[in-house]
Coordinates of all heavy atoms in Angstrom, one line a residue:
T141 N -5.2 83.6 -77.9 CA -6.5 83.4 -78.4 C -6.5 83.0 -79.8 O -5.5 83.4 -80.5 CB -7.4 84.6 -78.1 OG1 -6.8 85.7 -78.8 CG2 -7.5 84.9 -76.6
P142 N -7.5 82.4 -80.3 CA -7.5 82.1 -81.8 C -7.3 83.3 -82.6 O -8.0 84.3 -82.4 CB -8.9 81.4 -82.0 CG -9.3 80.9 -80.7 CD -8.7 81.9 -79.7
S143 N -6.4 83.3 -83.5 CA -6.1 84.5 -84.3 C -7.1 84.6 -85.4 O -7.5 83.7 -86.1 CB -4.7 84.3 -85.0 OG -4.4 85.3 -85.8
T144 N -7.5 85.9 -85.6 CA -8.5 86.2 -86.7 C -7.8 86.9 -87.8 O -8.5 87.3 -88.8 CB -9.6 87.1 -86.1 OG1 -9.1 88.2 -85.6 CG2 -10.4 86.3 -85.0
G145 N -6.6 87.2 -87.6 CA -5.9 87.9 -88.7 C -4.6 87.1 -89.0 O -4.4 86.0 -88.7
G146 N -3.7 87.9 -89.6 CA -2.4 87.2 -90.0 C -1.3 87.4 -89.0 O -0.2 87.1 -89.3
G147 N -1.7 87.8 -87.8 CA -0.6 88.0 -86.8 C -0.1 86.7 -86.3 O -0.6 85.6 -86.5
T148 N 1.2 86.8 -85.7 CA 1.8 85.6 -85.2 C 1.2 85.2 -83.9 O 1.1 86.1 -83.0 CB 3.3 85.8 -85.1 OG1 3.8 86.2 -86.3 CG2 4.0 84.6 -84.6
P149 N 0.8 84.0 -83.6 CA 0.3 83.6 -82.3 C 1.3 83.8 -81.2 O 2.5 83.7 -81.4 CB -0.1 82.1 -82.5 CG -0.1 81.9 -84.0 CD 0.9 82.9 -84.6
S150 N 0.8 84.0 -80.0 CA 1.7 84.2 -78.8 C 2.4 82.9 -78.5 O 1.8 81.8 -78.7 CB 0.8 84.6 -77.6 OG 1.6 84.5 -76.4
T151 N 3.6 82.9 -78.1 CA 4.4 81.7 -77.8 C 4.0 81.2 -76.4 O 4.4 80.1 -76.1 CB 5.9 82.1 -77.7 OG1 6.1 83.0 -76.7 CG2 6.4 82.6 -79.1
G152 N 3.3 81.9 -75.6 CA 2.8 81.4 -74.3 C 3.9 81.5 -73.3 O 3.7 81.0 -72.2
T153 N 5.0 82.2 -73.5 CA 6.1 82.3 -72.5 C 5.6 83.0 -71.3 O 5.9 82.6 -70.2 CB 7.3 83.1 -73.1 OG1 7.7 82.4 -74.3 CG2 8.4 83.2 -72.1
G154 N 4.8 84.1 -71.5 CA 4.3 84.8 -70.3 C 3.4 83.9 -69.5 O 3.5 84.0 -68.2
G155 N 2.6 83.1 -70.1 CA 1.7 82.2 -69.3 C 2.5 81.2 -68.5 O 2.1 81.0 -67.3
N156 N 3.5 80.7 -69.0 CA 4.4 79.7 -68.2 C 5.0 80.4 -67.1 O 5.1 79.9 -66.0 CB 5.4 79.1 -69.1 CG 4.8 78.1 -70.1 OD1 3.8 77.6 -69.9 ND2 5.5 78.0 -71.3
S157 N 5.4 81.7 -67.3 CA 6.0 82.4 -66.2 C 5.0 82.6 -65.1 O 5.4 82.6 -63.9 CB 6.6 83.8 -66.7 OG 7.1 84.6 -65.7
S158 N 3.8 83.0 -65.4 CA 2.8 83.2 -64.4 C 2.5 81.9 -63.7 O 2.3 81.9 -62.4 CB 1.5 83.7 -65.1 OG 0.4 83.8 -64.2
S159 N 2.4 80.8 -64.4 CA 2.2 79.5 -63.7 C 3.3 79.2 -62.7 O 3.1 78.7 -61.6 CB 2.0 78.4 -64.7 OG 0.9 78.6 -65.6
N160 N 4.5 79.4 -63.2 CA 5.7 79.1 -62.3 C 5.6 80.0 -61.0 O 5.9 79.6 -59.9 CB 7.0 79.4 -63.0 CG 7.2 78.3 -64.1 OD1 6.6 77.2 -64.0 ND2 8.0 78.6 -65.1
G161 N 5.2 81.3 -61.2 CA 5.1 82.2 -60.1 C 4.1 81.7 -59.1 O 4.3 81.8 -57.9
N162 N 2.9 81.3 -59.7 CA 1.8 80.8 -58.8 C 2.3 79.6 -58.0 O 2.0 79.5 -56.8 CB 0.6 80.5 -59.6 CG -0.1 81.8 -60.1 OD1 0.0 82.8 -59.4 ND2 -0.9 81.6 -61.2
L163 N 3.0 78.7 -58.7 CA 3.4 77.5 -58.0 C 4.4 77.8 -56.9 O 4.4 77.2 -55.9 CB 4.0 76.5 -59.1 CG 4.5 75.2 -58.5 CD1 3.3 74.4 -57.9 CD2 5.1 74.3 -59.7
E164 N 5.3 78.7 -57.2 CA 6.4 79.1 -56.2 C 5.7 79.6 -55.0 O 6.1 79.2 -53.9 CB 7.3 80.1 -56.8 CG 8.4 80.5 -55.9 CD 9.4 81.5 -56.5 OE1 9.2 81.9 -57.6 OE2 10.3 82.0 -55.7
I165 N 4.7 80.5 -55.2 CA 4.1 81.1 -54.0 C 3.3 80.1 -53.3 O 3.3 80.0 -52.0 CB 3.2 82.3 -54.5 CG1 4.0 83.4 -55.0 CG2 2.3 82.8 -53.3 CD1 3.2 84.5 -55.7
A166 N 2.6 79.2 -54.0 CA 1.7 78.2 -53.4 C 2.6 77.2 -52.6 O 2.3 76.8 -51.5 CB 1.0 77.4 -54.4
N167 N 3.8 76.9 -53.1 CA 4.7 76.0 -52.4 C 5.2 76.6 -51.1 O 5.4 75.8 -50.1 CB 5.9 75.6 -53.3 CG 5.5 74.6 -54.4 OD1 4.5 73.9 -54.2 ND2 6.3 74.5 -55.4
L168 N 5.4 77.9 -51.1 CA 5.9 78.5 -49.8 C 4.8 78.4 -48.8 O 5.1 78.1 -47.6 CB 6.2 80.0 -50.1 CG 7.4 80.3 -50.9 CD1 7.5 81.8 -51.2 CD2 8.7 79.9 -50.1

């Protein structure tokens, strides 16, 4: 989400993993 402080933004790795998991299950 848009950062409101000085923290480092998320790299999105977890999101890609979730998408891959959804696609794998959908493909089955």
